[in-house]
Amino acid sequence: MQKLTLIFLIVALSACSLKRVERFKDITYLTASDSLPEKKLNVFKPKKSKDAPVLLFIHGGSWDSGDKEIYNFLGTRFAKKGVVTVIMDYPLSPEYQVQSMALASAQAVNWMHESIEEYGGSKDRIFVSGHSAGGHLASLIAVNNKYFDQLGVSNPIQGAVLIDAAGLDMKWFLEQMNYEPGTSYNIPFTDSPEVWEETSPIYHLDVEDPPLLIMLGGRTLPGNTLTTERFMEAHKSFEPNPKYIFQPRKKHKGMIVQFIYTPNKVYREILKFMGE
């Protein structure tokens, strides 16, 4: 009897919790064209939200894998904390390259700027985030207005949260790795050093960048550590006191898996960053 009562309480509490969030699935933000495929996003909003801060999350997966549905938990948890959260899909390698992924990400942000008020969010409080390859794309569109210029709109991003981001200095990384042409990360980034530089956020930093919150795991991939350290040094030229969270025991996957735990203190840090 006690076991059945406990199960009932858990189910009841879960149901109450779910009622606090509204979900809107598979909204088309990118229509198919000659250069890009149709892509969709999911929106998670707090009940009765109005003018709430908005967060776009871009998934990782080495630029060639990943799916928005994996991260529904993140949308739900941020929405419970008062943030209208958008989880997007984007074109993947090998069919598409990084420039197309960044343009799609900018299009998702533009969709938010045009439509997010319908979901209780504020178009003037848009933030972007991503893990791994998604962190790279979030950083790239935050500091390089090129992709918004291609859409003929202004960059509305108010800040970026980079969660163990990859590729922040992809030019340096690919030069060090010296992959055979057409292999490994050269597929999404091409064999062109000019493209490597163009798609490396480190080379687009300036005083007009939105604020950045940079998170790094102490046991992450060596390439992530090295490129993030290079990025941090360059960022300090424009922001002497960068916002930085170092988690010494976290591995690369652990940096995103930790968000499953709702009371995790990193939520508080991100909400504080967005509030500032």
Side-chain angles (χ1 to χ4, degrees), residues 212-216 228-229 232 241-246:
L212 305 176
L213 174 59
I214 302 168
M215 300 173 58
L216 183 68
T228 298
E229 288 174 349
M232 285 286 293
N241 299 301
K243 296 176 175 62
Y244 180 59
I245 298 175
F246 181 68

Side-chain angles (χ1 to χ4, degrees), residues 8 16 19 41 50 54 130 142 154 179 200 218 225 229 250:
F8 175 79
C16 292
K19 290 179 181 178
L41 52 77
K50 183 178 180 181
V54 184
S154 298
Y179 294 119
S200 293
T225 299
E229 288 174 349
K250 294 292 184 187

Side-chain angles (χ1 to χ4, degrees), residues 229-245:
E229 288 174 349
R230 291 175 60 84
F231 184 84
M232 285 286 293
E233 285 303 309
H235 181 44
K236 286 178 183 177
S237 299
F238 308 103
E239 174 50 74
N241 299 301
K243 296 176 175 62
Y244 180 59
I245 298 175

Side-chain angles (χ1 to χ4, degrees), residues 54-56 58 109 126-130 138-139 141-142 157 159-162:
V54 184
L55 180 68
L56 171 69
I58 309 174
V109 172
I126 293 175
F127 295 79
V128 295
S129 182
S139 175
I141 63 172
I157 295 172
V161 180
L162 312 182

Side-chain angles (χ1 to χ4, degrees), residues 172-226:
W172 175 85
F173 178 77
L174 290 174
E175 287 173 345
Q176 300 304 306
M177 299 305 295
N178 194 28
Y179 294 119
E180 289 293 322
T183 66
S184 192
Y185 294 122
N186 287 33
I187 298 174
F189 283 87
T190 80
D191 295 322
S192 168
E194 288 77 17
V195 173
W196 303 347
E197 182 171 347
E198 172 61 32
T199 55
S200 293
I202 192 172
Y203 302 108
H204 303 286
L205 292 169
D206 61 42
V207 294
E208 297 182 356
D209 292 335
L212 305 176
L213 174 59
I214 302 168
M215 300 173 58
L216 183 68
R219 300 170 64 191
T220 188
L221 306 172
N224 285 13
T225 299
L226 293 171

Side-chain angles (χ1 to χ4, degrees), residues 14 31 67 90 105 112 124 142 158 161 183 205 207 236 261-262:
S14 298
T31 55
D67 186 285
Y90 56 91
S105 301
M112 293 162 63
D124 298 319
Q158 298 298 301
V161 180
T183 66
L205 292 169
V207 294
K236 286 178 183 177
Y261 181 56
T262 303

Side-chain angles (χ1 to χ4, degrees), residues 7-235:
I7 292 172
F8 175 79
L9 287 173
I10 291 172
V11 171
L13 288 171
S14 298
C16 292
S17 178
L18 288 173
K19 290 179 181 178
R20 293 165 53 192
V21 177
E22 293 183 71
R23 298 162 176 79
F24 305 86
K25 296 290 191 72
D26 292 324
I27 301 168
T28 299
Y29 75 89
L30 181 63
T31 55
S33 66
D34 292 339
S35 57
L36 292 171
E38 179 181 273
K39 286 295 171 183
K40 300 183 179 184
L41 52 77
N42 296 338
V43 177
F44 302 79
K45 71 176 291 288
K47 286 273 190 176
K48 300 180 181 179
S49 62
K50 183 178 180 181
D51 295 327
V54 184
L55 180 68
L56 171 69
F57 178 78
I58 309 174
H59 68 74
S62 298
W63 300 276
D64 64 5
S65 63
D67 186 285
K68 71 182 189 306
E69 301 302 326
I70 299 172
Y71 301 93
N72 286 335
F73 74 90
L74 196 67
T76 298
R77 282 156 177 75
F78 267 112
K80 288 179 182 178
K81 296 176 185 296
V83 179
V84 176
T85 310
V86 177
I87 314 290
M88 65 173 286
D89 273 336
Y90 56 91
L92 298 173
S93 175
E95 289 82 6
Y96 297 91
Q97 295 169 327
V98 168
Q99 300 98 319
S100 296
M101 303 174 199
L103 184 59
S105 301
Q107 182 62 65
V109 172
N110 187 53
W111 177 90
M112 293 162 63
H113 190 256
E114 293 179 345
S115 306
I116 206 63
E117 290 181 345
E118 299 175 21
Y119 302 90
S122 170
K123 67 178 183 180
D124 298 319
R125 302 175 69 189
I126 293 175
F127 295 79
V128 295
S129 182
H131 171 249
S132 195
H136 162 261
L137 294 171
S139 175
L140 184 58
I141 63 172
V143 304
N144 186 356
N145 292 332
K146 167 186 174 179
Y147 304 99
F148 292 98
D149 292 342
Q150 288 181 246
L151 299 175
V153 299
S154 298
N155 185 347
I157 295 172
Q158 298 298 301
V161 180
L162 312 182
I163 305 169
D164 218 57
L168 297 178
D169 188 352
M170 206 61 178
K171 180 176 184 291
W172 175 85
F173 178 77
L174 290 174
E175 287 173 345
Q176 300 304 306
M177 299 305 295
N178 194 28
Y179 294 119
E180 289 293 322
T183 66
S184 192
Y185 294 122
N186 287 33
I187 298 174
F189 283 87
T190 80
D191 295 322
S192 168
E194 288 77 17
V195 173
W196 303 347
E197 182 171 347
E198 172 61 32
T199 55
S200 293
I202 192 172
Y203 302 108
H204 303 286
L205 292 169
D206 61 42
V207 294
E208 297 182 356
D209 292 335
L212 305 176
L213 174 59
I214 302 168
M215 300 173 58
L216 183 68
R219 300 170 64 191
T220 188
L221 306 172
N224 285 13
T225 299
L226 293 171
T227 56
T228 298
E229 288 174 349
R230 291 175 60 84
F231 184 84
M232 285 286 293
E233 285 303 309
H235 181 44

